[in-house]
């Protein structure tokens, strides 16, 4: 049945459970519940079909054009080191579902406290890079004195990221290590527009780099990878010394 689903596209996914049996060539009488349970064991679920794709047509065309153009200056993807910043916050985020009885709406145990100020949030900011057969030994944790949201500034990017992390990589290349090209997003802190201290540093040290296509997912897909771990950890009791066992 999985083969039918994979090979027939949306038509295969629209088939009823009995229709799947017929298309798969199963001539025995099998209940709908049995088929549903068998598919469920392989993580297949019935859900409402999306009416639009993850990437709209204009953004798709933009990415294709960027990919064609980028082949001129980065023909080998094995030399690219993809870099990005990301931010991690502890505690509940978004809507929180709880268990409560009627009349407990304003019970202290049923209320989630939200930080009133940005600086009160327990958030950590990181910068990292990864590539083919390459990864950093550890992520670089940073803090920007002029803001609380982790927005990278050109001065910090030059003094701590480029000077402290990327420059040793350039020196390794000059000593005989394989060359690389640094991929960055179009954040203003990376010195994309105009003449600035970051652009000057890159030219001075001969850093090969390029900016990815605006609107591309870059490394943001790590959020999808962290979701199963977060859901799994929420199943376990968290010890709180302030509350009785």
């Amino acid at each position: 049945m999985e083969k039918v689903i994979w090979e027939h596209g949306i038509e295969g996914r629209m088939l009823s459970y009995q229709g799947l049996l017929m298309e798969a060539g199963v001539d025995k009488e099998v209940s709908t519940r049995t088929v549903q349970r068998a598919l469920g064991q392989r993580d297949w679920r019935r859900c409402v079909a999306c009416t639009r794709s993850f990437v709209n047509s204009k953004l798709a065309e933009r990415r294709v054009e960027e990919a064609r153009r980028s082949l001129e200056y980065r023909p080998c993807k094995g030399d690219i080191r993809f870099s990005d910043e990301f931010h991690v916050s502890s505690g509940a985020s978004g809507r929180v579902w709880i268990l409560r009885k009627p009349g407990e709406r304003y019970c202290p145990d049923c209320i989630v406290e939200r930080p009133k100020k940005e600086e009160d949030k327990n958030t950590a900011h990181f910068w990292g890079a990864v590539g083919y057969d390459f990864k950093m030994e550890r992520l670089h944790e940073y803090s920007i004195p002029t803001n609380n949201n982790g927005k990278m500034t050109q001065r910090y990017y030059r003094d701590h990221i480029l000077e402290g992390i990327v420059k040793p990589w350039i020196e390794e290349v000059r000593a005989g290590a394989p060359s690389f090209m640094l991929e960055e997003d179009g954040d203003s802190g990376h010195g994309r527009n105009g003449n600035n201290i970051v652009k000057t540093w890159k030219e001075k040290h001969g850093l090969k780099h390029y900016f990815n296509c605006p609107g591309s997912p870059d490394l943001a897909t790590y959020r999808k990878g962290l979701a199963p771990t977060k859901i799994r950890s929420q199943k376990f009791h968290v010890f709180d010394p302030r509350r009785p066992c």
Side-chain angles (χ1 to χ4, degrees):
M1 290 186 294
E2 278 190 310
K3 186 177 180 181
V4 173
I5 296 174
W6 286 118
E7 293 183 352
H8 290 76
I10 185 64
E11 288 79 11
R13 295 173 184 267
M14 292 173 59
L15 289 172
S16 64
Y17 291 127
Q18 293 299 324
L20 278 173
L21 289 174
M22 293 178 60
E23 291 293 333
V26 179
D27 54 1
K28 296 181 180 181
E29 292 187 4
V30 182
S31 68
T32 299
R33 176 56 183 159
T34 299
V35 179
Q36 183 183 16
R37 185 167 53 249
L39 290 174
Q41 293 175 350
R42 293 179 174 270
D43 295 330
W44 290 100
R45 298 289 187 273
R46 282 283 184 187
C47 62
V48 179
C50 298
T51 57
R52 59 181 181 179
S53 62
F54 179 73
V55 179
N56 60 56
S57 58
K58 291 185 178 180
L59 183 56
E61 293 175 359
R62 190 175 189 178
R63 292 184 183 178
V64 171
E65 181 62 28
E66 176 68 19
R68 291 173 176 169
R69 185 176 65 85
S70 63
L71 288 175
E72 301 176 1
Y73 56 85
R74 53 181 179 95
C76 180
K77 64 180 180 180
D79 298 336
I80 300 174
R81 296 183 182 180
F82 300 90
S83 66
D84 198 11
E85 300 93 15
F86 66 95
H87 319 281
V88 180
S89 299
S90 62
S93 60
R95 291 185 176 182
V96 179
W97 293 80
I98 62 173
L99 295 172
R100 72 184 181 200
K101 292 183 177 181
E104 292 185 337
R105 180 180 181 86
Y106 298 106
C107 175
D109 290 341
C110 299
I111 299 176
V112 178
E113 296 183 2
R114 301 289 188 184
K116 296 182 179 180
K117 299 180 179 179
E118 190 72 27
E119 55 266 25
D120 294 335
K121 295 182 179 180
N122 189 14
T123 305
H125 313 290
F126 298 91
W127 181 93
V130 65
Y132 180 77
D133 198 26
F134 168 83
K135 67 176 181 179
M136 296 175 57
E137 293 184 1
R138 64 185 181 88
L139 296 172
H140 172 77
E141 183 176 2
Y142 69 92
S143 176
I144 306 298
T146 56
N147 63 62
N148 300 304
N149 58 9
K151 170 71 173 177
M152 184 69 71
T153 62
Q154 292 184 357
R155 186 171 299 279
Y156 187 95
Y157 191 67
R158 181 197 64 178
D159 297 342
H160 298 272
I161 304 300
L162 295 179
E163 190 70 30
I165 301 176
V166 178
K167 185 177 180 180
W169 297 347
I170 299 176
E171 294 174 349
E172 291 175 0
V173 172
R174 292 172 178 171
S179 62
F180 72 93
M181 180 175 288
L182 185 67
E183 183 261 14
E184 305 166 289
D185 61 26
D187 189 275
S188 59
H190 301 159
R192 177 165 188 160
N193 300 318
N195 295 321
N196 50 72
I197 58 176
V198 173
K199 184 176 181 180
T200 302
W201 190 97
K202 294 175 181 178
E203 294 176 350
K204 177 181 177 181
H205 294 83
L207 173 63
K208 297 180 180 179
H209 71 100
Y210 74 96
F211 297 103
N212 62 15
C213 175
S216 66
D218 46 76
L219 298 182
T221 51
Y222 79 92
R223 295 187 180 91
K224 296 294 184 181
L226 292 178
T229 304
K230 184 176 181 179
I231 295 174
R232 172 71 176 174
S233 63
Q234 290 176 345
K235 296 181 179 180
F236 299 96
H237 172 71
V238 178
F239 174 72
D240 188 348
R242 298 170 297 180
R243 304 186 62 180
C245 298

